[in-house]
Amino acid sequence: MGPTSSLFGGVLARGAVAAAVADDAWLTAMLQVEAALAEAQAFTGLLDQAAADAIGAACARPESFDAAELGRAAAESGNPVVPLVQALRRAVPDHAEAVHRGATSQDILDTAGMLVAARALRPLLGDLRACADLTARLAREHRDTAMIGRTLLQQAVPTTFGLKAAGWLGGLDAARRRLDQVRAERLAVQFGGAAGTLAPFGDAGPDLVEGLATVLGLREPALPWHTERTRIADLAGALGSAAGAVAKVARDLTLLAQNEVDEVSDSSPGGSSAMPHKRNPIAAVCALGCAASAPGLVANLLAAMAHEHERAAGSWHAEWRPLRDLLVSTGSAAAWLRSALERLVVHPDVMRANLSRSGLTGDLTATGLLVDRALHDFGTKR
């Protein structure tokens, strides 16, 4: 049962990323690639414009194709592109030979995956930006709010809540910028034909790839990347780092919200089926739960990088589920953390009382300067 199932969807599929990677989103993306391929071939003189127009019109109606049926039929060929191409050819009988011309299934599915990822990253990046803004506000507002610092989960020396929030900000903003860089630079068209040679197109092959990239708004790769999977690895690594940055903040929030600490709380706490007195920091808890899936999914994608020769036997297929689940898990974690920070109630009086009870003192002049530096750095890099 995946994270997008209806029973667990309210917790494990928070935010807009789950919808962006759902079956209908993949179907739409695959059709857009087929339409763009026909358009690019017509532009380069490789295909009649009437054929490209007919294919484009059919691809513009994803509701005409049954994603569930395509999924069932995919078992016959090992991927959903083969039955999709068959259905698309039936939809344009006068131009059936022009559909999917010169392409291989992996060209379509990999490129569709890049489109899906690019679209899913928009709400994810939006939530990360919002989280960074919220932690920046906390750092600014609590620049001088003294509290006890903790190392190895034990009281250490005095610090400020502003400095703690500035640390959260640094991690979140770095993760956001890395993910934004991957989105801008590493999400590329995949097109090479049967063995990555562009053989059916001769000298026009490179121009066709350029046109396809232009139509779809993706990067143009120097070479087909059927079995060179560092683009997937870069995306996975950036998503994993983002999940880790989110988890760091969520972990601190759950610890600070413990009854024995009580330095922060959730303004809309979750309840308990057995203990009515509980006031759980549920948004932070769910952020942690979603983020916890990311490392294993990243590992799955890295383990699948060893593709054989020009086309892989199984390693390509092994990427599909963990990539979609990783986008959902990281996106859900970021959405939950945004909720946690929006609902966060800070208790400076409790922080001061806990610090006073520790009996520890220290000069906090430098902490304010560190917060100022972090906020300045954040402002210049936005």
Side-chain angles (χ1 to χ4, degrees), residues 46-59:
L46 296 169
L47 193 66
D48 182 74
Q49 186 62 54
D53 291 344
I55 293 169
C59 290

Side-chain angles (χ1 to χ4, degrees), residues 268-295:
S268 301
S272 166
S273 62
M275 296 167 284
H277 65 281
K278 293 288 292 297
R279 296 294 181 267
N280 298 316
I282 202 64
V285 168
C286 290
L288 278 172
C290 292
S293 299

Side-chain angles (χ1 to χ4, degrees), residues 37-378:
L37 176 60
E39 182 179 343
Q41 290 190 41
F43 182 77
T44 54
L46 296 169
L47 193 66
D48 182 74
Q49 186 62 54
D53 291 344
I55 293 169
C59 290
R61 298 189 296 274
E63 67 278 3
S64 301
F65 301 85
D66 187 334
E69 178 56 35
L70 291 173
R72 287 188 290 269
E76 298 296 323
S77 57
N79 73 77
V81 177
V82 173
L84 176 64
V85 170
Q86 293 169 349
L88 186 54
R89 284 172 174 159
R90 290 194 295 271
V92 288
D94 293 339
H95 305 284
E97 75 289 345
V99 172
H100 195 68
R101 182 172 177 269
T104 192
S105 296
Q106 191 171 349
D107 291 332
I108 305 304
L109 197 56
D110 275 352
T111 304
M114 295 291 98
L115 286 176
V116 167
R119 291 161 184 169
L121 288 180
R122 291 191 191 112
L124 199 167
L125 286 165
D127 283 333
L128 287 176
R129 288 189 191 95
C131 289
D133 287 339
L134 288 162
T135 53
R137 187 177 72 187
L138 288 170
R140 191 175 299 109
E141 292 177 354
H142 294 280
R143 178 184 185 275
D144 301 311
T145 301
M147 66 182 299
I148 188 65
R150 297 172 175 92
T151 63
L152 305 184
L153 292 177
Q154 303 298 307
Q155 292 185 351
V157 295
T159 185
T160 65
F161 186 61
L163 185 59
K164 184 182 289 290
W168 297 342
L169 167 62
L172 290 167
D173 190 49
R176 178 196 62 79
R177 285 186 283 109
R178 175 61 182 145
L179 202 53
D180 202 31
Q181 180 184 27
V182 168
R183 181 176 181 271
E185 299 177 6
R186 297 294 285 160
L187 302 188
V189 157
Q190 169 77 279
F191 194 75
T197 64
L198 290 173
F201 307 105
D203 292 345
D207 290 338
L208 178 58
V209 176
E210 180 183 8
L212 190 58
T214 300
V215 172
L216 294 173
L218 295 170
R219 299 286 289 189
E220 177 190 356
L223 295 170
W225 46 278
H226 289 137
T227 56
E228 194 282 280
R229 309 305 282 181
T230 55
R231 295 178 188 278
I232 300 296
D234 286 347
L235 177 58
L239 287 166
S241 293
V246 167
K248 156 61 181 171
V249 182
R251 181 72 71 194
D252 280 356
L253 292 178
T254 59
L255 292 172
L256 292 172
Q258 292 180 104
N259 296 121
E260 296 82 357
V261 179
D262 197 32
E263 292 176 349
V264 304
S265 59
D266 188 328
S267 64
S268 301
S272 166
S273 62
M275 296 167 284
H277 65 281
K278 293 288 292 297
R279 296 294 181 267
N280 298 316
I282 202 64
V285 168
C286 290
L288 278 172
C290 292
S293 299
L297 295 168
V298 172
N300 286 342
L301 289 166
L302 296 182
M305 287 183 70
H307 288 214
E308 303 84 9
H309 299 302
E310 282 66 54
R311 295 288 295 282
S315 294
W316 176 52
H317 302 71
E319 293 175 346
W320 303 342
R321 178 175 289 178
L323 179 58
R324 179 154 77 168
D325 287 356
L326 180 57
L327 284 163
V328 174
S329 296
T330 304
S332 299
W336 273 117
L337 182 64
R338 180 175 183 172
S339 294
L341 291 168
E342 289 172 342
R343 289 151 46 168
L344 187 68
V345 179
V346 181
H347 305 297
D349 54 333
V350 179
M351 292 178 180
R352 286 191 295 269
N354 288 343
L355 176 59
S356 177
R357 280 194 294 272
S358 74
L360 297 168
T361 60
D363 186 351
L364 296 177
T365 303
T367 63
L369 298 177
L370 289 171
V371 171
D372 294 341
R373 178 185 292 182
L375 291 171
H376 178 267
D377 184 63
F378 174 60

